[in-house]
Amino acid sequence: MKKFSTAAVCFAFATASLAFTASSAQAARATCAFLANAPDSHVVVTGDTLWGISGKFLQHPWCWPQVWDMNREQIRNPHWIYPGQVVYFDRVNGRLRLGNQAGAGGNGTARLSPQVRMEGLGREAIPAIPSSVIEPFLSQPLIIEEGDLAGAPRIVATQEGHVFLGRNDKAYVRGDLGDDTSFQVFRPGLPLKDPETKKIIGYEAAFLGSVKLVKADETDGSGAHVFTVLAAKEEMGVGDRLMPVPPSPIMNYVPHPPEQPTDARIVSIYGGVANAGQNQIVTINRGADEGIDIGTVLQLYRLGETIIDKTEGRKESVKLPDMEYGTLFIFRVFHNISYGLIMQVTDSVQVGDVAKSPE
């Protein structure tokens, strides 16, 4: 399983009391109660996640930033909890504290000063959610807007005698490669329609595999580049498009409510199925343009239907309340579409369901 390292120096502010940002302030307004049977402490072990540890103490894991008094920068880069450390429940102040198993003070906690961890040393830090679940979705599938793939490099011919390409086959490509040599191959997929406006808001391109440049076109553009297929998830052929392999992302973000009130809808369920459950992937019709970022947590609701009240001679339209049934963790964000991992549900997720700010 791929491990995600920090991209810069990270700080561990385990017991600092820091001012809330806008995101934390919104969390503070929400109900953030501890479980009645919350333990006094938890020893962090390999395989733990921030979500899982939070769920041992809190009714809502997305309350994590509030009970740790975390500021926005820590929420974005929380590489400071490692196996062997101990999370203590400070019942008097309603906070979680971090300590060490060895060398703790008389009250069982060690007051920690800000610690510097250099690049690469954050590899063992526990992640926000199980990275293995979302790893295939960090670089694919790809959300594109209409026309985005039109100017991308394209396969114009395949190795002689091959209708479709497989591993180690040659592909001949035309188009501007820039300075890149490693590419992923995509094919435009079905349009994604906003459940509210019914307008197309993007396309989910199908990921086909990866290719590597062997020999660049040495003409004035009248020739073709030569590529070798490194991996083929699906058959690829003439007309399929190339996009540069994105850098490995840092996926260790603390769950947090959105910075501004959000009322989104489920656009699609990955794989084209009608219903989804825990640990499946969905898209919503909100993205970076609406203030959604990685780590945003939304509550899932079944949209209440509108009925006609025919009691006592009435004929009035009545909107039934939306029913909350689960939690969604956003892990990949585009301009107006985001991918989310279904964390916990008591009902199946359907296209058109509501995903909105925690209450």
Side-chain angles (χ1 to χ4, degrees):
M1 182 178 69
K2 183 187 299 181
K3 292 183 178 179
F4 301 102
S5 62
T6 55
V9 176
C10 301
F11 294 90
F13 296 97
T15 56
S17 296
L18 300 171
F20 284 140
T21 59
S23 175
S24 298
Q26 183 171 346
R29 290 193 296 269
T31 300
C32 191
F34 283 88
L35 294 169
N37 61 346
D40 292 326
S41 63
H42 170 77
V43 178
V44 181
V45 299
T46 302
D48 274 347
T49 62
L50 295 175
W51 186 280
I53 293 176
S54 180
K56 292 179 181 294
F57 295 92
L58 297 162
Q59 292 183 6
H60 302 291
W62 50 262
C63 284
W64 182 270
Q66 179 181 345
V67 298
W68 284 88
D69 287 342
M70 297 177 70
N71 65 14
R72 188 62 173 172
E73 188 56 36
Q74 289 173 302
I75 289 173
R76 292 184 182 279
N77 218 355
H79 297 277
W80 46 263
I81 297 183
Y82 291 78
Q85 293 180 311
V86 183
V87 176
Y88 294 95
F89 181 10
D90 179 353
R91 297 180 185 273
V92 174
N93 297 304
R95 291 288 182 266
L96 297 180
R97 310 293 185 190
L98 190 65
N100 295 324
Q101 280 187 286
N107 61 357
T109 63
R111 186 169 183 81
L112 304 181
S113 300
Q115 302 171 29
V116 176
R117 292 190 180 273
M118 299 306 293
E119 182 177 355
L121 295 182
R123 290 180 179 271
E124 293 77 25
I126 65 170
I129 58 176
S131 56
S132 60
V133 177
I134 63 171
E135 186 173 318
F137 299 89
L138 296 180
S139 59
Q140 41 85 17
L142 179 70
I143 296 296
I144 58 172
E145 295 180 351
E146 190 169 10
D148 276 0
L149 286 182
R154 63 201 181 280
I155 298 176
V156 297
T158 61
Q159 188 169 320
E160 186 176 355
H162 292 229
V163 176
F164 294 104
L165 298 172
R167 182 177 172 82
N168 296 325
D169 286 346
K170 293 290 188 296
Y172 301 95
V173 174
R174 296 194 68 190
D176 183 9
L177 305 181
D179 296 326
D180 297 295
T181 59
S182 296
F183 289 80
Q184 294 175 329
V185 183
F186 292 92
R187 182 177 300 146
L190 296 175
L192 298 178
K193 291 185 177 181
D194 189 314
E196 296 175 308
T197 65
K198 308 303 179 184
K199 294 181 179 179
I200 295 175
I201 56 176
Y203 296 81
E204 189 174 73
F207 173 73
L208 306 180
S210 57
V211 296
K212 186 173 182 62
L213 178 66
V214 174
K215 184 179 179 181
D217 175 25
E218 297 178 349
T219 70
D220 57 358
S222 59
H225 312 286
V226 182
F227 279 81
T228 295
V229 178
L230 297 180
K233 180 181 177 183
E234 297 183 23
E235 294 176 334
M236 62 183 77
V238 174
D240 292 331
R241 302 285 176 161
L242 275 62
M243 298 290 283
V245 174
S248 296
I250 300 171
M251 263 307 303
N252 199 10
Y253 289 74
V254 170
H256 59 276
E259 289 189 346
Q260 58 194 46
T262 298
D263 190 351
R265 296 287 187 87
I266 302 295
V267 175
S268 67
I269 299 170
Y270 187 73
V273 296
N275 300 282
Q278 186 169 331
N279 288 341
Q280 287 187 265
I281 307 296
V282 299
T283 59
I284 63 170
N285 61 343
R286 299 290 187 271
D289 291 350
E290 292 81 28
I292 301 296
D293 63 352
I294 295 175
T296 294
V297 172
L298 301 172
Q299 286 181 323
L300 294 169
Y301 291 79
R302 180 64 33 78
L303 188 64
E305 58 183 321
T306 299
I307 64 168
I308 302 298
D309 178 5
K310 298 181 180 180
T311 62
E312 298 181 356
R314 295 185 177 88
K315 287 188 178 181
E316 302 172 349
S317 294
V318 179
K319 168 67 168 61
L320 299 182
D322 299 341
M323 299 302 295
E324 190 270 332
Y325 68 89
T327 309
L328 188 68
F329 181 95
I330 302 299
F331 66 87
R332 195 166 184 217
V333 178
F334 296 87
H335 285 295
N336 55 6
I337 299 177
S338 299
Y339 281 102
L341 175 68
I342 301 169
M343 299 300 295
Q344 297 144 330
V345 285
T346 57
D347 200 350
S348 61
V349 181
Q350 301 175 9
V351 171
D353 283 354
V354 176
K356 61 183 180 181
S357 303
E359 296 180 352

